[in-house]
Amino acid sequence: RSDSYAELSQYRDQHFRGTRYDQERLLRKSCTLYVGNLSFYTTEEQIHELFGKSGDIKKVIMGLDKVKKTACGFCFVEYYARGDAENAMRYINGTRLDDRIIRTDWDAGFKEGRQYGRGRSGGQVRDEYRQDYDAGRGGYGKTVQ
Amino acid sequence: MSRRRHSDDSDAGQPHKRRRTSEPSELEERLESLICRVGEKSNSSLESNLEGLAGVLEADLPNYKSKILRILCTVARLLPEKLTVYTTLVGLLNARNYNFGGEFVEAMIRQLKECLKVNMYNEAVHLVRFLSDLVNCHVIAAPSMVAMFENFVSVTQEEDVPQVRCDWYMFAFLSSLPWVGKELYEKKDAEMDRLLSQAESYLKRRQKIHVPMLQVWTADKPHPQEEYLDCLWSQIQKLKKDRWQERHILRPYLAFDSVLCEALQHNLPPFTPPPHTEDSVYPMPRVIFRMFDYTDDPEGPVMPGSHSVERFVIEENLHCIIKSHWKERKTCAAQLLSYPGNNKIPLNYHIVEVIFAELFQLPSPPHIEVMYTTLLIELCKLQPGSLPQVLAQATEMLYMRLDTMNTTCVDRFINWFSHHLSNFQFRWSWEDWSDCLTQDLEKPKPKFVREVLEKCMRLSYHQRIIDIVPASFSVLSPANPVCIYKYGDESNRSLPGYTVALCLTIAIKNKASNDEIFSILKDVPNPNQDDDDGEGFTFNPLKIEVFVQTLLHLAAKSFSHSFSALAKFHEVFKTLAESDEGKLHVLRVVYEVWKNHPQMIAVLVDKMIRTQIVDCAAVANWIFSSELAHDFTRFYIWEILHSTIRKMNKHVLKIHKELEETKARLARQHKR
């Protein structure tokens, strides 16, 4: 029986310490989701309310700009049970939070340091290079600014 | 469908060399795919697809018979919405190969017995229906089907068995009649009349005390919430009155009548229902949810009446589609919308009704609630010109009937509606509901709107909610979720504990240790005048108040800040809340600080239970205390209570499992 929403995506974290095999093993039993395309103004409370609909949340870790230490549009949501994370992948991924379509993906697990954006300016890489204007993500991309 | 290819379950019993090359498994996968997807995405008609597939399978029978048998048995069990497609296929195969037909029937009976043994009653119904439709395909002889149904109905004569057992056998019989009633009645009318009269007398004498518990509305208007067997009985009676003419079910086998009626039929072996055992668990009874009738879509095709057999078949099939595809929301939506006959029936209305039937099902929905929200959003995406209007109409109807709606269902309605709105910029014609503003705020309609707005706020932010509702609705708007710090104002400096609170604030900001906190708190007098044991660790409500107020205020910025605070000062919490009164008082202070922010109260209570600062009993006592009586009917109170009970249940299950595992380990050790 197909369950494509809960499968691993093609994305693999390039900064992961360990083999590809290790990473995939962790992804397959993970209870942690990466959540992307958040507005910079989306709060932990909103994330908790939305993602709480698929099960009890153990922890939300907000993604931060490495320089400014403010929210930069992503977060991690960790559940107590993998089944609850799977339901988030099936039913919360691709729906709206703060009027934005958010995207969820499996994460191998939070490690200190991973809460920071990896873009040169401190935010996420995608906000370095994008050309469009996005009011919820600081306006234009950093290279445009 | 299972894709496992374990060597022990494929060709058992067949005098057949097992090949280990990759070729056969590719062929097997192709067979599975051909069978499961027959008729999909094809330019030719279903009939010619079936004809073609029957030819292919007939050719493959010598080498792959057991595999084909297994696949067909599985689709019979798991794809009930395509029942008649596969009975036709089996009919064609039986016409070409009588032995295969016989083996298939035997395999189905084996599968049916197996399902009943392991309490898979819902799937067993599909198998029974499949077998009965095989009568229409000239695979099974009608008299032998009637005989099986006679054995089913005689279960209602068994003594000392649960009513739900008899219910199931009655349901399996009655619910097959839309497919095969006509054929059976034509061949064996006297026997069928006898069966139907036995059915009638069973239905009259069975107990129905479960009905009020399962009804979504207590009112009978506009649609009575009927017990499921009663409703089915009315539908079958009407079908009989209509001389068993049933026009909704797609019957591909009709096109092959000339071929099929040449086929030799098989007799079902006598089927004895397996006896009731202690381990038997039968499906729970249901109440049929109805919210629409033909008056609700005056411009479209007419909705079949509540006692028409068409209504039964449509609802069954739509529920089956959801059951098959609930994990894949886009597929599920597409399959629902491509349900055949959608220009003769108001399909959007049926779909919305079936989805709400599941969402509001008591005691619990078949699937997780959020699935239904997302499924409805997918449906709106696929039918943007029509489905949102039906959904708005449904919402309006549900709102109108809040006064008699079961509270649990109202909660689910609140959750669904607020989450749905958050995906559509909270656009709603709130003025249409201004009738609720003139009512007492505790009445269902204003209460519903208040709770919806509160939930909407949780998914956005306070000012957004103020902006989306008309000014007249401000009385129903949620409070700004700010923290209330008792010792924050200079004007409160006369409060006992004020100076200690100030001290504590500075200390915490300077990263004081737990010990330093304890020594600061020593200065707090105990209003209880109890014997102090010198350490100052007996229940001191003022100490608790000063500490908890100050800490929560300092950590008010976010959930994470508050959780960190709970973790950092865990020791202090544990000590202050050691006694039962201490635990209760901690909860009271949390409420006092955060009464504007129920979501924060809920997450703090959850964290405090998980870190054992308070226990479930303390939470229950707090919720049922007189101080919270004024909030007793607010949704957040019940969210906290249900969440607490769930945690307790999980905990009990976990340690029960550990106990069983330890017992098993001990037993194994003793054996050595």
Side-chain angles (χ1 to χ4, degrees):
Chain A
R1 207 42 93 71
S2 183
D3 192 9
S4 61
Y5 283 87
E7 283 168 5
L8 303 189
S9 72
Q10 305 289 33
Y11 175 85
R12 296 290 177 268
D13 181 4
Q14 296 301 320
H15 292 213
F16 177 81
R17 297 260 190 86
T19 65
R20 207 22 84 88
Y21 176 78
D22 290 335
Q23 191 175 144
E24 287 180 16
R25 196 175 45 87
L26 287 173
L27 290 172
R28 280 184 217 287
K29 61 183 186 94
S30 170
C31 296
T32 305
L33 298 179
Y34 163 87
V35 184
N37 200 37
L38 297 174
S39 155
F40 287 8
Y41 307 102
T42 299
T43 60
E44 190 187 342
E45 285 82 339
Q46 287 171 276
I47 293 162
H48 210 279
E49 177 69 15
L50 181 62
F51 283 86
K53 290 180 186 294
S54 69
D56 291 336
I57 294 173
K58 189 169 175 185
K59 199 160 190 188
V60 171
I61 297 164
M62 300 298 288
L64 302 175
D65 182 298
K66 196 159 192 167
V67 174
K68 300 186 210 150
K69 303 292 198 289
T70 54
C72 70
F74 75 99
C75 75
F76 297 100
V77 176
E78 187 187 351
Y79 290 90
Y80 290 101
R82 183 177 168 92
D84 296 344
E86 285 172 357
N87 277 333
M89 290 288 288
R90 293 184 190 119
Y91 307 121
I92 301 177
N93 186 13
T95 66
R96 291 187 190 267
L97 178 56
D98 258 344
D99 300 317
R100 306 171 64 91
I101 303 272
I102 58 168
R103 195 180 64 80
T104 65
D105 199 0
W106 290 107
D107 188 80
F110 176 76
K111 289 227 160 16
E112 181 53 41
R114 296 194 63 230
Q115 71 269 41
Y116 296 113
R118 294 172 182 166
R120 272 192 34 162
S121 316
Q124 290 198 280
V125 171
R126 49 174 290 195
D127 292 309
E128 284 295 312
Y129 303 110
R130 62 178 172 77
Q131 306 283 323
D132 60 317
Y133 182 83
D134 187 340
R137 289 182 75 99
Y140 288 105
K142 290 285 183 253
T143 44
V144 172
Q145 283 176 18
Chain B
M1 287 196 40
S2 169
R3 288 185 170 270
R4 279 179 299 154
R5 258 171 282 286
H6 296 155
S7 54
D8 59 348
D9 73 353
S10 59
D11 305 318
Q14 301 299 320
H16 178 105
K17 224 168 37 169
R18 269 185 226 136
R19 289 181 236 167
R20 291 201 182 277
T21 60
S22 59
E23 211 191 283
S25 46
E26 264 177 46
L27 204 63
E28 284 166 10
E29 275 205 38
R30 197 174 72 86
L31 279 176
E32 203 176 293
S33 173
L34 277 176
I35 293 173
C36 290
R37 301 197 201 310
V38 67
E40 282 178 29
K41 295 188 181 121
S42 169
N43 289 326
S44 350
S45 68
L46 175 64
E47 285 78 10
S48 78
N49 277 321
L50 282 172
E51 177 112 57
L53 182 56
V56 168
L57 293 179
E58 188 194 3
D60 284 328
L61 279 181
N63 293 325
Y64 296 102
K65 179 169 63 169
S66 45
K67 184 72 185 174
I68 291 171
L69 274 175
R70 198 154 72 81
I71 297 171
L72 288 173
C73 281
T74 310
V75 298
R77 190 164 47 88
L78 296 181
L79 293 178
E81 62 270 23
K82 294 176 78 176
L83 176 96
T84 51
V85 170
Y86 292 114
T87 53
T88 306
L89 182 61
V90 172
L92 291 172
L93 287 171
N94 179 58
R96 295 163 189 238
N97 187 323
Y98 176 78
N99 286 334
F100 177 78
E103 286 188 59
F104 178 76
V105 171
E106 278 170 22
M108 283 288 284
I109 293 291
R110 271 198 305 274
Q111 193 182 205
L112 176 60
K113 286 197 173 126
E114 209 30 63
C115 280
L116 294 176
K117 222 187 278 175
V118 297
N119 292 322
M120 286 168 65
Y121 285 97
N122 294 322
E123 304 195 344
V125 168
H126 304 151
L127 295 176
V128 172
R129 240 174 250 167
F130 197 95
L131 287 170
S132 61
D133 203 44
L134 285 178
V135 173
N136 294 323
C137 301
H138 298 261
V139 178
I140 292 178
S144 69
M145 194 74 221
V146 174
M148 182 188 230
F149 283 144
E150 279 169 348
N151 286 342
F152 276 29
V153 171
S154 61
V155 171
T156 61
Q157 304 294 329
E158 286 176 8
E159 288 180 356
D160 295 325
V161 293
Q163 181 174 286
V164 281
R165 170 180 164 85
C166 308
D167 283 352
W168 185 82
Y169 283 96
M170 183 54 61
F171 180 72
F173 163 56
L174 291 176
S175 69
S176 303
L177 293 183
W179 281 267
V180 74
K182 181 156 187 277
E183 189 65 23
L184 293 185
Y185 206 78
E186 271 171 20
K187 296 271 156 57
K188 288 274 179 183
D189 62 341
E191 286 79 357
M192 286 296 290
D193 274 333
R194 197 165 43 236
L195 283 179
L196 290 173
S197 117
Q198 284 176 325
E200 183 164 25
S201 82
Y202 171 68
L203 292 171
K204 277 209 179 82
R205 71 173 188 267
R206 68 190 273 271
Q207 285 225 37
K208 288 186 286 189
I209 51 179
H210 52 274
V211 171
M213 233 178 15
L214 301 178
Q215 286 175 319
V216 171
W217 291 284
T218 54
D220 266 349
K221 289 191 181 357
H223 311 111
Q225 305 285 290
E226 288 184 274
E227 210 273 344
Y228 81 113
L229 280 182
D230 286 346
C231 185
L232 180 55
W233 177 246
S234 300
Q235 290 162 332
I236 299 302
Q237 282 194 297
K238 183 164 185 296
L239 177 63
K240 181 173 175 209
K241 247 198 225 123
D242 292 340
R243 295 182 310 139
W244 303 99
Q245 298 297 330
E246 189 289 320
R247 275 175 254 283
H248 174 79
I249 297 173
L250 233 56
R251 298 176 194 258
Y253 40 83
L254 292 175
F256 296 104
D257 197 50
S258 50
V259 169
L260 293 177
C261 69
E262 297 292 311
L264 289 173
Q265 297 169 317
H266 304 266
N267 282 319
L268 279 175
F271 184 89
T272 318
H276 173 67
T277 70
E278 259 183 19
D279 298 324
S280 305
V281 179
Y282 305 96
M284 286 198 287
R286 291 172 280 128
V287 162
I288 301 298
F289 175 87
R290 288 276 161 68
M291 62 184 293
F292 292 128
D293 61 34
Y294 69 96
T295 62
D296 293 306
D297 182 23
E299 285 159 22
V302 177
M303 188 171 222
S306 59
H307 285 166
S308 71
V309 89
E310 282 77 21
R311 192 74 175 261
F312 173 78
V313 172
I314 294 165
E315 287 168 356
E316 278 287 298
N317 282 336
L318 293 179
H319 281 299
C320 284
I321 291 174
I322 296 175
K323 185 148 188 257
S324 295
H325 301 289
W326 64 274
K327 286 183 185 168
E328 299 267 356
R329 67 204 208 212
K330 282 194 168 66
T331 308
C332 195
Q335 290 287 326
L336 285 170
L337 288 170
S338 59
Y339 180 72
N342 68 357
N343 52 351
K344 297 205 198 80
I345 55 173
L347 184 61
N348 284 342
Y349 284 84
H350 284 293
I351 291 173
V352 167
E353 189 176 70
V354 162
I355 289 175
F356 279 124
E358 293 202 8
L359 180 64
F360 294 135
Q361 183 177 289
L362 292 168
S364 314
H367 304 290
I368 188 173
E369 275 176 58
V370 68
M371 184 278 275
Y372 299 104
T373 312
T374 313
L375 179 59
L376 284 168
I377 292 172
E378 289 299 323
L379 287 164
C380 285
K381 277 193 214 162
L382 288 175
Q383 295 266 293
S386 55
L387 207 115
Q389 290 87 318
V390 178
L391 207 47
Q393 194 180 349
T395 306
E396 185 63 41
M397 291 168 82
L398 293 171
Y399 170 81
M400 295 300 289
R401 295 164 60 185
L402 278 170
D403 288 339
T404 55
M405 196 185 216
N406 179 295
T407 318
T408 306
C409 299
V410 176
D411 287 348
R412 293 190 205 155
F413 183 23
I414 292 167
N415 273 334
W416 167 72
F417 188 51
S418 53
H419 187 189
H420 180 84
L421 286 180
S422 75
N423 273 271
F424 296 96
Q425 297 123 27
F426 297 107
R427 275 181 277 121
W428 184 250
S429 47
W430 300 98
E431 311 76 21
D432 289 354
W433 288 354
S434 36
D435 62 318
C436 74
L437 297 173
T438 54
Q439 294 183 20
D440 180 318
L441 292 188
E442 284 298 305
K443 287 272 191 278
K445 283 182 181 155
K447 206 156 172 62
F448 167 76
V449 175
R450 278 171 69 192
E451 298 285 2
V452 164
L453 293 179
E454 196 176 306
K455 281 271 162 178
C456 287
M457 180 179 71
R458 291 198 200 184
L459 288 167
S460 60
Y461 51 95
H462 187 249
Q463 188 56 45
R464 185 86 194 274
I465 304 309
I466 304 296
D467 291 341
I468 59 159
V469 291
S472 52
F473 275 70
S474 59
V475 61
L476 299 177
S477 297
N480 199 1
V482 293
C483 146
I484 304 169
Y485 181 46
K486 189 171 189 172
Y487 306 107
D489 219 289
E490 270 261 331
S491 59
N492 291 334
R493 63 181 179 273
S494 54
L495 285 174
Y498 180 82
T499 17
V500 182
L502 272 185
C503 233
L504 205 53
T505 304
I506 295 166
I508 293 174
K509 279 187 179 163
N510 288 331
K511 304 194 196 303
S513 69
N514 281 320
D515 286 335
E516 290 168 61
I517 304 296
F518 278 125
S519 63
I520 294 172
L521 287 175
K522 249 207 215 104
D523 294 334
V524 177
N526 191 338
N528 276 357
Q529 310 288 351
D530 283 341
D531 304 34
D532 221 324
D533 64 3
E535 302 284 319
F537 287 160
T538 52
F539 173 52
N540 182 337
L542 189 58
K543 220 180 255 196
I544 292 174
E545 178 126 35
V546 169
F547 172 67
V548 176
Q549 281 259 354
T550 306
L551 187 65
L552 290 187
H553 167 245
L554 284 170
K557 186 156 185 233
S558 76
F559 288 177
S560 285
H561 287 83
S562 298
F563 296 158
S564 295
L566 287 181
K568 184 150 197 273
F569 297 101
H570 186 248
E571 206 193 317
V572 182
F573 270 105
K574 285 286 277 186
T575 311
L576 290 176
E578 203 173 323
S579 64
D580 285 346
E581 307 130 304
K583 291 181 170 63
L584 199 51
H585 203 69
V586 166
L587 291 167
R588 281 199 207 103
V589 177
V590 167
Y591 174 78
E592 289 301 320
V593 175
W594 282 116
K595 58 165 74 132
N596 288 325
H597 196 346
Q599 192 196 10
M600 174 66 96
I601 299 178
V603 302
L604 285 175
V605 170
D606 174 81
K607 208 47 118 188
M608 289 192 293
I609 292 176
R610 290 186 191 271
T611 55
Q612 298 175 321
I613 291 169
V614 301
D615 55 25
C616 296
V619 174
N621 281 326
W622 166 66
I623 283 180
F624 289 102
S625 69
S626 48
E627 293 101 11
L628 274 191
H630 60 280
D631 267 2
F632 196 65
T633 55
R634 278 184 67 186
F635 195 176
Y636 84 92
I637 291 289
W638 295 90
E639 280 185 315
I640 294 175
L641 186 60
H642 287 306
S643 166
T644 304
I645 294 172
R646 259 201 324 271
K647 280 191 277 286
M648 192 71 204
N649 279 342
K650 278 196 185 135
H651 180 65
V652 167
L653 280 171
K654 179 165 164 251
I655 50 182
H656 183 81
K657 191 168 158 226
E658 280 171 25
L659 177 65
E660 294 301 311
E661 279 168 7
T662 312
K663 275 189 193 165
R665 264 203 309 278
L666 196 64
R668 278 197 298 274
Q669 275 194 340
H670 279 180
K671 278 197 185 131
R672 292 204 199 118

